[in-house]
Amino acid sequence: MFAATWGLIGFSPVAPGTIGSIAALPLCLLISALGIAWGAIFLLGLILFSVWIAHGAEKIVGQRDPGLVVIDEVCGMAVTLFAFPFIPVFVIVGFALFRVFDILKPFPIRWFDKNVKGGLGIILDDIIAGIFANLVLRCIF
């Protein structure tokens, strides 16, 4: 549960997903410092680990996609900022884009959110939101 809630941040009474996304930034800095190849390997490992962790947390809590699980936001932010320099403009715009895609869940994000169950379902919609945010960020800059 500690990992699923990203160090208990998911227990925040106000906007745990947004706070979890902000709390992901030190990890995003680390991934950026690793470079693209090692960063991609690390990010893939993070995603696989997160699916497993989220699945276990869902079973412990006893509800589908519990709001206190914010490791999905961490993965989504990491995907959003992947292969960008970790500088304020990319971090701020990337954060805003990710939160918009994660909250509004345009097609196909909402479909995955509703139809894929378990840990994969918890993580996958945020990964797709992160991909969308990353692509829009590339179009903007």
Side-chain angles (χ1 to χ4, degrees):
M1 288 304 295
F2 188 78
T5 61
W6 201 245
L8 306 179
I9 287 169
F11 288 102
S12 170
V14 179
T18 299
I19 295 171
S21 298
I22 293 168
L25 294 177
L27 182 67
C28 295
L29 173 60
L30 170 67
I31 293 170
S32 176
L34 291 174
I36 292 178
W38 285 110
I41 292 167
F42 185 92
L43 183 56
L44 179 60
L46 172 68
I47 291 167
L48 294 173
F49 172 76
S50 297
V51 168
W52 177 64
I53 289 295
H55 187 76
E58 189 176 61
K59 287 184 173 194
I60 290 169
V61 174
Q63 83 183 67
R64 184 176 185 270
D65 198 358
L68 58 85
V69 173
V70 296
I71 199 166
D72 53 335
E73 274 79 15
V74 172
C75 290
M77 276 301 301
V79 169
T80 297
L81 297 177
F82 181 70
F84 281 101
F86 195 85
I87 59 173
V89 66
F90 293 126
V91 171
I92 293 167
V93 176
F95 170 81
L97 287 168
F98 172 68
R99 292 309 298 150
V100 166
F101 284 119
D102 189 34
I103 292 166
L104 297 180
K105 296 189 187 320
F107 181 82
I109 299 169
R110 184 172 307 279
W111 186 90
F112 283 97
D113 183 53
K114 298 290 183 201
N115 294 292
V116 180
K117 308 294 184 219
L120 182 60
I122 293 171
I123 302 298
L124 192 56
D125 67 301
D126 291 85
I127 297 301
I128 298 168
I131 291 169
F132 280 23
N134 186 293
L135 292 174
V136 171
L137 201 54
R138 290 185 186 287
C139 290
I140 293 171
F141 296 101

